[in-house]
Amino acid sequence: MKILKTKFKGLLIFKSKNFTDKRGYFREIAHQKKINEKLIFTVVSKSKKNVLRGLHMQTKFMQGKYVSVVKGEILDVAVDCRKNSKTYGEHFKIKLSQKNSKSIYIPPGFLHGFLGKKKENIIVYSCTNYRNKNSEISVSWKDKDLAINWEIRKPILSNKDAKNSIPFNKLKI
């Protein structure tokens, strides 16, 4: 497994390999010792093409997230919300897929979201903290200050993401 650093402190890309044969494939996804964080909570998300989930984070009990795609492809986006960071307010985008075998570790203090690019997308992510729905916030996927090119004009959104998002410039952490 190869680890690639980014300009965002603590945000890492992991390049693995699919070992494929006539039965299917096998891939190592995460090595905790290489992340240097304890991943205590793992979830699976399934999304159709053009489903956009995010941008989300928790203001208390912040989570680091290790994100991998086991089927399909997503456009994964992380926004740095760490006030003292050199990259505060900047975003990072990457395509993660079953085919490219890439995973990403997003440290605590980032908004996170993704867009499903294939007919069926199955995402596994492990977190450094448990979900706390009372501290969840959502910033609009089309926030003008963030200027993220999601490669789509009309994504499929949850009611929560469509109605309850706050502007990035009003974010209080």
Side-chain angles (χ1 to χ4, degrees):
M1 183 175 290
K2 187 175 182 180
I3 302 172
L4 308 169
K5 293 185 178 182
T6 67
K7 74 175 187 174
F8 295 82
K9 185 177 181 184
L11 194 146
L12 303 170
I13 306 302
F14 292 80
K15 178 67 175 120
S16 192
K17 181 180 178 185
N18 289 334
F19 297 93
T20 306
D21 64 21
K22 63 183 177 184
R23 301 168 296 163
Y25 77 93
F26 171 85
R27 174 176 40 159
E28 294 177 351
I29 292 181
H31 288 271
Q32 187 168 322
K33 67 182 179 181
K34 293 184 180 185
I35 300 167
N36 207 22
E37 294 286 344
K38 190 171 186 177
L39 302 171
I40 62 170
F41 179 64
T42 301
V43 296
V44 174
S45 173
K46 180 179 174 185
S47 297
K48 298 176 188 177
K49 185 174 183 171
N50 298 328
V51 167
L52 194 152
R53 296 183 186 268
L55 298 161
H56 304 139
M57 76 179 297
Q58 293 187 173
T59 55
K60 297 177 185 173
F61 314 107
M62 290 187 185
Q63 298 172 309
K65 294 179 180 176
Y66 189 90
V67 182
S68 299
V69 173
V70 293
K71 184 175 184 182
E73 179 180 306
I74 63 171
L75 176 64
D76 199 83
V77 177
V79 178
D80 193 348
C81 299
R82 302 170 296 178
K83 291 276 186 189
N84 296 324
S85 172
K86 293 177 184 177
T87 52
Y88 174 79
E90 294 183 37
H91 66 273
F92 179 83
K93 295 190 314 185
I94 188 170
K95 286 192 178 166
L96 305 175
S97 70
Q98 171 186 341
K99 189 174 181 180
N100 73 15
S101 304
K102 290 181 181 176
S103 300
I104 185 171
Y105 175 72
I106 305 164
F110 280 74
L111 286 162
H112 178 249
F114 61 85
L115 173 68
K117 301 291 284 178
K118 299 290 184 184
K119 183 178 178 182
E120 183 178 49
N121 306 282
I122 300 176
I123 301 92
V124 175
Y125 52 101
S126 297
C127 304
T128 59
N129 214 335
Y130 294 100
R131 178 177 174 256
N132 181 308
K133 70 177 187 173
N134 296 325
S135 75
E136 288 178 354
I137 59 163
S138 183
V139 170
S140 175
W141 67 280
K142 59 183 178 179
D143 188 283
K144 289 182 179 14
D145 291 330
L146 298 177
I148 300 167
N149 178 0
W150 287 94
E151 304 172 6
I152 192 169
R153 290 182 185 210
K154 292 185 178 182
I156 302 166
L157 302 170
S158 70
N159 288 336
K160 179 180 170 183
D161 286 345
K163 296 178 182 177
N164 296 331
S165 296
I166 60 172
F168 181 76
N169 64 9
K170 302 280 187 205
L171 194 62
K172 292 185 180 160
I173 300 175

